[in-house]
């Protein structure tokens, strides 16, 4: 029933994120440029554009993150702040269960919404259609989903210490800051999840970036453990 | 096995250097209706949150059902056996009454469907109504229904009658007594409404500045405490030396008021022996006991 509660709590959020994800497709479809797609040129030249798209879609796993303790209610402007957190904490379940249920729902929602990204790429970058196969698109979806987990769990950690408004703004700032840091820090290329979702994605390499995916999962696991410690030790 | 459902020993808690609990000692016997009284900021909600494991004390310890309240694992067992109604009475705004019942029921294998149906009818709660559409009073009733229906051995209620109209208050108080009698549940509730506490509680604790100032059976307290009003024929130049049992003393000119908690007969004789005095004796209600203690504390 915790999954049910989390689904009810986040269903409007996922609708909004689906609209957010489909916005580039809608924009491209509704505002065709003279002479056809603006994205002409070789597939290699599109790496930068795909990289930008990946950055745009990086917001999604952060926006769908939560810790399962404080209520993330939609339309709060008319309802006021919510103390239903105390009702949640009065249930005979561990804080770990509350966190795990919310994180599980968030991860599933992230994977679902990110399924639109390959569709967006396919729609907005027609030259890529000669270059990628259906298998590449599936690999791309898998890569983006796994790489997004690191960002998602960053959002989970932020949600354990910040309220929704600060969590959202910190997340957006965090995405851009992280991308900047990863592009400049003396780290192996395989640690750059943004590259794996963009310029070095399976769309161009035709193979899964196992090392980057493993790195993302490791970072996600560490962030989850930290979030769990925060949630278990916090006073409410 | 302890007969005390709730025990707190020298409980201490501070927030940013400000003490909220300063060595609170508390014992709540099983099966009792226990009123927990105090001014705003006295430490009532801090105590309740500590018992529910939401806050970790800085010192002392608290146990519920003999289990440490701050322990994460024991806390699950405590919450399984406890019904909890918090002060702000907020529930999930995206659920209906039916949905929150279904959700809550899933956590309690011993859920009492008979009590659920009874209180849905008694509190006049429609299953299809969305929670944000309920008034504060109706949300209070819904929270109480959720707390009662899972067959809790202990109900911890923080200001349970807040937001209820007088009829609702009467219904609620009557049901709390009925639950305690029929189910043997222990009821621990905090309140500002002294008349309500006096109506149903059999034991009370008055907390002030984070510590218990008065604890005991309500009947005993009301029997023990009495007020003497002494009118003297003339002012006495030196203060009167009273015997043991005088809690408070006020002297205004020729009138002396004495609050007595013990040794009443001796104090009465002493009062009657004062020159030219007339002595009247009054019973003391809970409000007067409360005001005496918190004002002078």
């Amino acid at each position: 029933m915790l999954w049910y509660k989390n689904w009810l709590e986040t269903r409007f959020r996922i609708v909004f994120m689906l609209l957010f994800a489909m916005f580039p497709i809608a924009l491209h479809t509704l505002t065709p440029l003279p002479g056809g797609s603006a994205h002409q040129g070789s597939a290699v030249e599109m790496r930068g554009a795909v990289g930008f798209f990946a950055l745009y879609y990086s917001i999604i796993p952060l926006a769908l993150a939560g810790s399962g303790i404080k209520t993330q209610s939609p339309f709060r402007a008319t309802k006021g702040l919510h103390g239903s957190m105390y009702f949640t904490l009065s249930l005979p379940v561990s804080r770990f269960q509350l966190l795990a249920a919310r994180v599980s729902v968030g991860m599933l929602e992230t994977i679902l919404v990110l399924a639109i990204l390959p569709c967006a790429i396919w729609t907005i970058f027609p030259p890529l259609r000669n270059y990628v196969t259906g298998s590449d698109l599936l690999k791309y979806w898998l890569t983006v989903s796994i790489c997004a987990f690191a960002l998602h769990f960053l959002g989970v950690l932020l949600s354990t210490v910040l309220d929704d408004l600060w969590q959202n703004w910190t997340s957006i700032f965090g995405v851009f800051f992280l991308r900047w840091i990863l592009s400049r820090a003396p780290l192996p290329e395989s640690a750059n999840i943004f590259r794996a979702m963009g310029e070095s994605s399976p769309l161009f390499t035709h193979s899964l970036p196992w090392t980057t995916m493993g790195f993302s999962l490791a970072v996600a696991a560490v962030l989850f453990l930290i979030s769990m410690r925060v949630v278990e030790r916090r006073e409410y | 096995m302890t007969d005390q459902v709730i025990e707190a020993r020298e409980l201490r808690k501070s927030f940013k250097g400000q003490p909220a609990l300063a060595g609170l000692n508390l014992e709540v016997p099983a099966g009792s209706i226990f009123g927990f009284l105090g001014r705003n900021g006295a430490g009532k909600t801090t105590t309740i949150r500590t018992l529910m494991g939401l806050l970790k004390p800085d010192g002392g310890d608290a146990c519920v059902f003999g289990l440490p309240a701050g322990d994460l694992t024991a806390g699950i067992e405590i919450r399984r056996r406890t019904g909890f109604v918090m002060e702000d009475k907020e529930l999930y705004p995206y659920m209906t009454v039916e949905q929150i019942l279904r959700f809550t029921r899933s956590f309690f294998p011993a859920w009492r469907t008979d009590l659920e149906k009874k209180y849905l009818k008694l509190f006049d709660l429609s299953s299809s109504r969305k929670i944000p559409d309920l008034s504060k009073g109706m949300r209070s009733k819904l929270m109480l229904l959720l707390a009662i229906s899972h067959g809790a051995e202990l109900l911890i209620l923080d200001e349970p009658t807040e937001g209820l109209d007088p009829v609702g208050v009467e219904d609620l108080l009557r049901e709390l007594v009925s639950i305690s009698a029929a189910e043997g549940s222990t009821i621990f509730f905090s309140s500002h409404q002294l008349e309500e506490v006096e109506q149903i509680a059999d034991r009370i604790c008055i907390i002030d500045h984070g510590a218990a100032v008065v604890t005991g059976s309500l009947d005993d307290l009301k029997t023990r405490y009495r007020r003497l009003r002494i009118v003297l024929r003339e002012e006495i130049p030196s203060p009167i030396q009273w015997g043991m049992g005088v809690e408070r003393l006020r002297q205004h000119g020729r009138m002396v008021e004495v609050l007595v908690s013990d040794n009443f007969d001796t104090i009465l004789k002493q009062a009657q022996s004062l020159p030219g005095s007339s002595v009247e004796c009054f019973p003391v209600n809970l409000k007067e006991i409360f005001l005496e203690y918190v004002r002078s504390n």
Side-chain angles (χ1 to χ4, degrees):
Chain A
M1 286 306 274
L2 283 175
W3 285 53
Y4 172 68
K5 176 247 184 196
N6 287 317
W7 159 247
L8 287 179
E9 196 165 298
T10 58
R11 56 192 165 165
F12 290 110
R13 190 176 285 229
I14 197 176
V15 167
F16 184 77
M17 283 296 115
L18 282 168
L19 291 173
F20 179 85
M22 287 166 57
F23 177 71
I25 303 174
L27 197 66
H28 175 80
T29 307
L30 293 172
T31 56
L33 290 169
S37 169
H39 302 293
Q40 306 292 351
S42 71
V44 173
E45 288 169 341
M46 301 209 179
R47 285 177 195 249
V50 170
F52 171 78
F53 256 72
L55 185 64
Y56 175 83
Y57 280 83
S58 299
I59 304 284
I60 292 170
L62 286 155
L64 290 171
S67 65
I69 305 289
K70 66 177 191 295
T71 306
Q72 293 174 293
S73 174
F75 314 121
R76 281 169 62 181
T78 60
K79 307 292 181 222
L81 291 174
H82 291 287
S84 53
M85 173 179 76
Y86 293 113
F87 179 75
T88 302
L89 289 166
S90 74
L91 296 170
V93 290
S94 65
R95 293 185 189 182
F96 167 73
Q97 281 175 284
L98 292 172
L99 177 67
R102 179 63 181 88
V103 157
S104 302
V105 168
M107 283 166 63
L108 283 173
E109 290 174 346
T110 297
I111 293 170
L112 179 70
V113 175
L114 285 176
I116 294 181
L117 177 53
C119 305
I121 300 283
W122 186 262
T123 306
I124 297 168
F125 300 100
L128 275 178
R129 296 177 196 170
N130 300 323
Y131 190 68
V132 303
T133 63
S135 168
D136 292 333
L137 286 173
L138 275 174
K139 285 177 191 168
Y140 182 56
W141 180 31
L142 182 63
T143 301
V144 167
S145 298
I146 300 289
C147 289
F149 284 171
L151 298 172
H152 182 74
F153 280 88
L154 174 63
V156 169
L157 179 60
L158 289 172
S159 74
T160 64
V161 292
L162 299 172
D163 81 2
D164 269 3
L165 181 64
W166 284 95
Q167 178 197 340
N168 291 337
W169 284 110
T170 307
S171 297
I172 293 170
F173 173 73
V175 160
F176 289 100
F177 180 71
L178 264 174
R179 189 166 195 270
W180 181 81
I181 282 281
L182 286 173
S183 66
R184 280 157 179 77
L187 290 169
E189 282 278 321
S190 55
N192 194 330
I193 55 172
F194 293 98
R195 282 186 69 85
M197 291 194 287
E199 307 91 89
S200 303
S201 71
L203 294 175
F204 305 106
T205 64
H206 307 289
S207 63
L208 288 167
W210 292 109
T211 311
T212 310
M213 287 160 68
F215 175 76
S216 175
L217 287 174
V219 167
V222 168
L223 290 172
F224 177 73
L225 287 172
I226 297 173
S227 301
M228 197 169 72
R229 295 291 274 175
V230 170
V231 154
E232 284 182 345
R233 283 166 185 252
R234 263 202 100 154
E235 295 189 324
Y236 295 94
Chain B
M1 193 139 167
T2 178
D3 291 332
Q4 309 297 333
V5 171
I6 295 174
E7 288 175 285
R9 299 257 178 272
E10 293 296 320
L11 208 54
R12 293 182 191 282
K13 180 66 184 175
S14 295
F15 297 104
K16 295 181 184 173
Q18 293 296 319
L21 296 178
L24 174 70
N25 291 299
L26 187 65
E27 284 184 348
V28 179
S32 64
I33 301 179
F34 196 101
F36 194 46
L37 308 170
R39 289 189 277 193
N40 291 335
K44 301 188 300 295
T45 298
T46 302
T47 303
I48 287 174
R49 285 190 197 176
T50 306
L51 294 175
M52 293 304 295
L54 302 177
L55 297 174
K56 292 184 181 58
D58 298 329
D61 53 72
C63 293
V64 181
F65 302 116
L67 302 167
D71 183 80
L72 287 176
T73 309
I76 300 173
E77 177 63 17
I78 291 170
R79 292 193 297 278
R80 194 183 60 76
R81 295 162 70 179
T82 305
F84 182 42
V85 178
M86 203 51 192
E87 188 177 3
D88 48 22
K89 299 175 186 60
E90 291 290 348
L91 292 166
Y92 306 129
Y94 42 82
M95 286 193 183
T96 62
V97 171
E98 171 59 33
Q99 284 173 325
I100 194 104
L101 281 168
R102 195 166 4 121
F103 171 73
T104 312
R105 204 185 293 141
S106 68
F107 295 98
F108 299 98
W111 186 267
R112 296 280 303 272
T113 315
D114 55 326
L115 292 178
E116 176 194 320
K117 287 187 174 122
K118 175 185 171 187
Y119 287 104
L120 268 176
K121 194 173 172 189
L122 181 71
F123 293 151
D124 197 23
L125 288 164
S126 165
S127 299
S128 58
R129 278 193 88 175
K130 285 190 79 83
I131 288 169
D133 296 338
L134 299 176
S135 66
K136 190 170 185 184
M138 296 187 84
R139 283 205 305 278
S140 296
K141 291 179 182 178
L142 176 57
M143 287 211 74
L144 192 63
L145 185 158
L146 293 171
I148 295 167
S149 298
H150 79 241
E153 295 167 51
L154 166 67
L155 293 176
I156 296 182
L157 315 172
D158 198 352
E159 305 282 352
T161 59
E162 197 191 353
L164 292 180
D165 58 57
V167 173
V169 168
E170 278 304 306
D171 287 343
L172 179 72
L173 295 178
R174 188 183 58 241
E175 289 308 316
L176 287 178
V177 173
S178 161
I179 290 158
S180 181
E183 312 293 331
S185 304
T186 306
I187 297 173
F188 178 85
F189 72 107
S190 77
S191 181
H192 293 118
Q193 305 300 328
L194 300 175
E195 299 80 13
E196 292 164 13
V197 174
E198 200 162 6
Q199 201 174 326
I200 68 167
D202 41 47
R203 294 188 71 83
I204 66 144
C205 171
I206 298 175
I207 178 174
D208 199 43
H209 290 101
V213 292
V214 173
T215 305
S217 152
L218 186 57
D219 287 339
D220 284 348
L221 284 170
K222 286 163 74 174
T223 306
R224 267 175 46 206
Y225 283 80
R226 269 175 280 188
R227 187 185 302 283
L228 292 175
R229 183 179 294 154
I230 308 158
V231 179
L232 303 166
R233 191 171 55 203
E234 56 191 24
E235 275 193 56
I236 297 177
S238 56
I240 304 164
Q241 297 299 321
W242 296 97
M244 292 273 293
V246 172
E247 290 286 338
R248 298 286 181 267
L249 179 68
R250 285 199 190 94
Q251 192 164 346
H252 303 287
R254 293 189 296 122
M255 189 164 77
V256 181
E257 282 207 350
V258 183
L259 180 67
V260 183
S261 66
D262 200 5
N263 207 14
F264 177 75
D265 293 332
T266 307
I267 304 293
L268 179 62
K269 280 191 185 131
Q270 192 179 354
Q272 287 167 336
S273 70
L274 292 169
S277 65
S278 73
V279 181
E280 287 178 281
C281 174
F282 301 94
V284 179
N285 64 22
L286 181 59
K287 183 176 176 180
E288 288 172 293
I289 298 172
F290 179 83
L291 288 173
E292 280 292 342
Y293 273 97
V294 301
R295 276 183 182 154
S296 56
N297 200 40

